[in-house]
Amino acid sequence: MAFNPENKQIKQALQKTEQIEPKDKLVIPVFNDADEDERTKNYTFSLQPSVRKRLDALAKEHNFKSASKFINELIKNM
């Protein structure tokens, strides 16, 4: 199938300038001392040191006791 620049549908599609909006915004959870009774399990994952510093800072900034609790709440609320 060859590209025909005179095709009106193609012209209209190319002329449209839609503004792309982000799909979702990240919502950072608020620390809630009333945790559920679900047990936790230890997992190991790797982070760059600079990312770990930022993660610790975010957890502290939002009054979480640990980065693990912060990540848990963040993912649970997605």
Side-chain angles (χ1 to χ4, degrees):
M1 176 182 278
F3 175 75
N4 181 357
E6 297 303 316
N7 185 319
K8 289 181 183 179
Q9 291 175 336
I10 293 174
K11 277 186 174 181
Q12 289 173 350
L14 292 174
Q15 289 173 349
K16 287 183 182 177
T17 56
E18 295 179 17
Q19 192 174 23
I20 299 172
E21 295 181 20
K23 292 181 182 178
D24 293 315
K25 291 186 179 180
L26 178 64
V27 177
I28 296 179
V30 177
F31 176 71
N32 184 0
D33 205 14
D35 281 339
E36 296 177 18
D37 292 333
E38 184 178 358
R39 299 181 102 167
T40 60
K41 185 175 179 181
N42 290 331
Y43 293 94
T44 303
F45 56 94
S46 300
L47 296 173
Q48 296 171 332
S50 60
V51 173
R52 180 60 195 219
K53 273 187 176 180
R54 183 66 183 134
L55 174 60
D56 289 337
L58 279 169
K60 186 176 180 179
E61 181 180 318
H62 293 281
N63 299 319
F64 283 87
K65 295 177 183 178
S66 67
S68 295
K69 286 187 182 274
F70 176 74
I71 290 175
N72 190 71
E73 287 301 311
L74 181 65
I75 294 172
K76 185 168 65 173
N77 291 309
M78 292 182 131

